[in-house]
Amino acid sequence: MIGILCAMREELEPILEYVEVKEVIDYGRNKYYLARFQNKDLVLAYSKIGKVNSATTATIMIEKFNARKVLFSGVAGAVDEDLKIGDLIIATKTCQHDIDLTVFGYEPGFVPESKVYFDCDKGLNDIAKSVAKKLDIKLKEGIIASGDQFIHNKEKKEWIKKTFNASAIEMEGGAVGNVCWTLDVPFFMLRAISDTAEEGAGVDFDKFLEESSKVSAKFLVEMLKEINEK
Ligand code: ADE
């Protein structure tokens, strides 16, 4: 079973168009779509925005629906200069930029007995890179930082870039990475850029959410074709 997770309805809907939905299960104030795609069993859901919602949904996908991989698709704010609206990025690792225990001498993003960065699965990232190469699609790789804030401020964005060496910002990856590390499940994070996370980002986000969600969804489906799992 492969888990496919998004944060928002707009991110999930274009993926649902490609798969054959067999059953929709209501659980924990959410809908889980059980589906088939090229002989593969999928569980798909959108969690609602943010770290708690995405962590909850990822956990349910793994513990209740037996997902043995979690693939995330959605949009993000660009941090790296060379990322433009509509460009795709995969995470090498994810982190949580809003964790702050620095008063106790810990580095930003660190929780005792846990860690700052959660690695994404190398095998899945290799598949993404080979699909991008085959289809001649530009695909960037980098650290993606998450927090329960929509970033629309250059100063804050620059702080996240400097502190975590991040290439993109969103609101779920660090939380889902944490869940997948805790439960030992391979994790893949794909995002298409919707805004620059600077002043005016809210307007761009509203304008490009649907378009960029489709870019990410389409690429994820191409990748699914290359994943060998029942
Ligand atoms: N997701 C897309 N754009 C974002 C931004 N600027 N901040 C946080 N999450 C986002």
Side-chain angles (χ1 to χ4, degrees):
M1 179 73 88
I2 301 171
I4 296 179
L5 179 57
C6 302
M8 300 176 72
R9 180 193 300 273
E10 290 85 347
E11 294 168 330
L12 182 64
E13 272 176 351
I15 303 175
L16 289 175
E17 283 179 23
Y18 292 97
V19 303
E20 193 186 339
V21 176
K22 299 282 188 193
E23 198 180 346
V24 184
I25 297 176
D26 270 291
Y27 186 81
R29 301 187 191 284
N30 218 339
K31 285 196 188 328
Y32 292 83
Y33 298 83
L34 301 184
R36 294 277 289 171
F37 179 78
Q38 293 189 346
N39 290 329
K40 279 158 255 204
D41 286 318
L42 311 177
V43 54
L44 306 100
Y46 74 91
S47 60
K48 301 185 278 291
I49 294 168
K51 287 169 35 183
V52 173
N53 284 324
S54 58
T56 304
T57 306
T59 305
I60 290 170
M61 276 186 170
I62 296 164
E63 291 290 304
K64 183 175 170 61
F65 294 102
N66 211 27
R68 286 294 154 260
K69 293 174 177 14
V70 175
L71 279 56
F72 197 109
S73 170
V75 300
V79 174
D80 233 69
E81 307 276 309
D82 64 345
L83 279 172
K84 305 290 176 239
I85 288 172
D87 285 354
L88 283 165
I89 175 166
I90 54 171
T92 50
K93 45 193 183 175
T94 61
C95 61
Q96 302 175 72
H97 66 70
D98 57 352
I99 289 180
D100 184 356
L101 297 174
T102 53
V103 70
F104 303 107
Y106 297 118
E107 58 186 309
F110 183 77
V111 170
E113 299 187 37
S114 184
K115 51 192 196 165
V116 176
Y117 295 103
F118 301 98
D119 288 331
C120 295
D121 187 70
K122 193 179 171 309
L124 291 169
N125 279 3
D126 285 345
I127 292 175
K129 284 185 265 186
S130 83
V131 166
K133 196 169 174 196
K134 194 171 88 186
L135 301 178
D136 198 21
I137 291 170
K138 177 184 161 196
L139 179 68
K140 193 179 168 63
E141 228 189 343
I143 294 169
I144 297 185
S146 314
D148 281 324
Q149 302 147 5
F150 183 87
I151 307 297
H152 55 108
N153 175 286
K154 191 167 168 62
E155 215 176 304
K156 178 88 200 204
K157 161 173 148 167
E158 291 303 328
W159 179 82
I160 293 168
K161 181 178 184 175
K162 184 179 75 190
T163 309
F164 296 97
N165 194 23
S167 295
I169 313 175
E170 34 79 317
M171 301 178 68
E172 295 84 21
V176 180
N178 194 337
V179 167
C180 289
W181 170 67
T182 302
L183 297 174
D184 251 326
V185 171
F187 165 53
F188 173 75
M189 169 57 65
L190 172 71
R191 298 276 182 168
I193 299 301
S194 56
D195 59 83
T196 58
E198 296 181 5
E199 286 70 11
V203 175
D204 278 349
F205 180 86
D206 280 341
K207 193 166 158 196
F208 295 108
L209 168 63
E210 275 190 37
E211 210 172 302
S212 294
S213 292
K214 282 182 194 161
V215 171
S216 184
K218 234 178 140 178
F219 190 87
L220 190 89
V221 170
E222 288 301 327
M223 255 192 86
L224 266 183
K225 295 177 186 169
E226 307 294 327
I227 295 175
N228 295 317
E229 166 128 2
K230 292 278 163 212

